[in-house]
Amino acid sequence: VLKTLAKISPSKLKSAQLTPRSSTFSSRGQHEGSWVDAAHVGEELLEEMMALHRQQVTANQEWYERLGKGELSDVELERGAPRVRVKANVRSFSTVMDAWSRLGDREAAQRCEAILQKMTHEYEETGDIALQPNLISYNTLLSAYAKIGDSEKCMDLLRVMRNENIDPDVISHNAVL
């Protein structure tokens, strides 16, 4: 779904078409029938994925704590531990960044950068290698700033990449040109 949203960005979707099982999409101040960027929808879906992952991890940890204390019923033991089925990763974050970068304006580039910062924070907090920003993440951000002609920011990002031991490639350098 995230990839599809990135591919159709900068298209707008009618909020009436967005009727997920949760209320995430309607809780952002969108009025039914209003238009919203595909990138915005993608970012909300990413946030929902992260929240669901936290809930699933908490339920799993609580089950094991109760197991250790001998507090589980036979039915709960038979069902087993709650599974962690939803988890955002670097690809999820980078795909939403791509959706924002396709909009080609300063606000979108800044949203793209905020998503990279959020991913970096999650990686540093958890140590989860699946959340470590990579070359694609940085190239997507470079592309967002290149589209608005911010060469100074692009040069800064190249320095950040090198400091993070991410070797810029041809795509990175072409974005700066």
Side-chain angles (χ1 to χ4, degrees):
V1 173
L2 291 176
K3 187 174 183 178
T4 300
L5 290 169
K7 293 289 182 193
I8 65 170
S9 188
S11 297
K12 293 188 180 281
L13 304 171
K14 213 169 202 172
S15 64
Q17 298 169 326
L18 308 173
T19 54
R21 286 179 291 234
S22 72
S23 61
T24 300
F25 295 99
S26 62
S27 68
R28 301 281 187 203
Q30 298 296 324
H31 301 288
E32 188 165 327
S34 65
W35 293 90
V36 61
D37 290 315
H40 190 96
V41 175
E43 186 172 353
E44 288 183 357
L45 183 57
L46 178 64
E47 289 172 10
E48 188 173 328
M49 288 173 65
M50 292 172 57
L52 187 56
H53 176 73
R54 282 189 289 276
Q55 290 171 359
Q56 291 174 344
V57 167
T58 299
N60 182 278
Q61 289 171 341
E62 289 172 355
W63 189 92
Y64 277 103
E65 286 173 11
R66 291 182 59 221
L67 175 68
K69 295 176 184 177
E71 298 175 349
L72 294 175
S73 69
D74 289 341
V75 173
E76 289 172 308
L77 285 169
E78 190 175 310
R79 275 192 216 135
R83 294 186 184 196
V84 179
R85 298 177 188 254
V86 175
K87 182 177 180 233
N89 58 26
V90 65
R91 188 173 187 166
S92 308
F93 279 87
S94 296
T95 301
V96 175
M97 290 171 62
D98 182 42
W100 279 112
S101 75
R102 291 171 185 251
L103 292 177
D105 61 40
R106 181 158 300 280
E107 181 185 350
Q110 291 168 339
R111 293 289 286 264
C112 191
E113 186 170 10
I115 293 168
L116 179 66
Q117 290 170 350
K118 181 182 251 179
M119 178 174 35
T120 301
H121 175 76
E122 290 290 324
Y123 168 66
E124 290 170 352
E125 285 280 312
T126 64
D128 184 350
I129 196 77
L131 293 170
Q132 184 177 22
N134 62 19
L135 179 63
I136 294 169
S137 308
Y138 279 97
N139 280 349
T140 303
L141 184 56
L142 277 168
S143 174
Y145 279 109
K147 285 178 183 170
I148 60 171
D150 195 338
S151 58
E152 187 175 317
K153 184 67 173 181
C154 289
M155 293 302 291
D156 288 343
L157 285 169
L158 287 176
R159 283 188 279 282
V160 168
M161 289 171 70
R162 288 188 186 101
N163 289 341
E164 296 292 323
N165 294 320
I166 298 174
D167 293 327
D169 64 359
V170 172
I171 295 169
S172 313
H173 291 289
N174 282 343
V176 176
L177 298 177

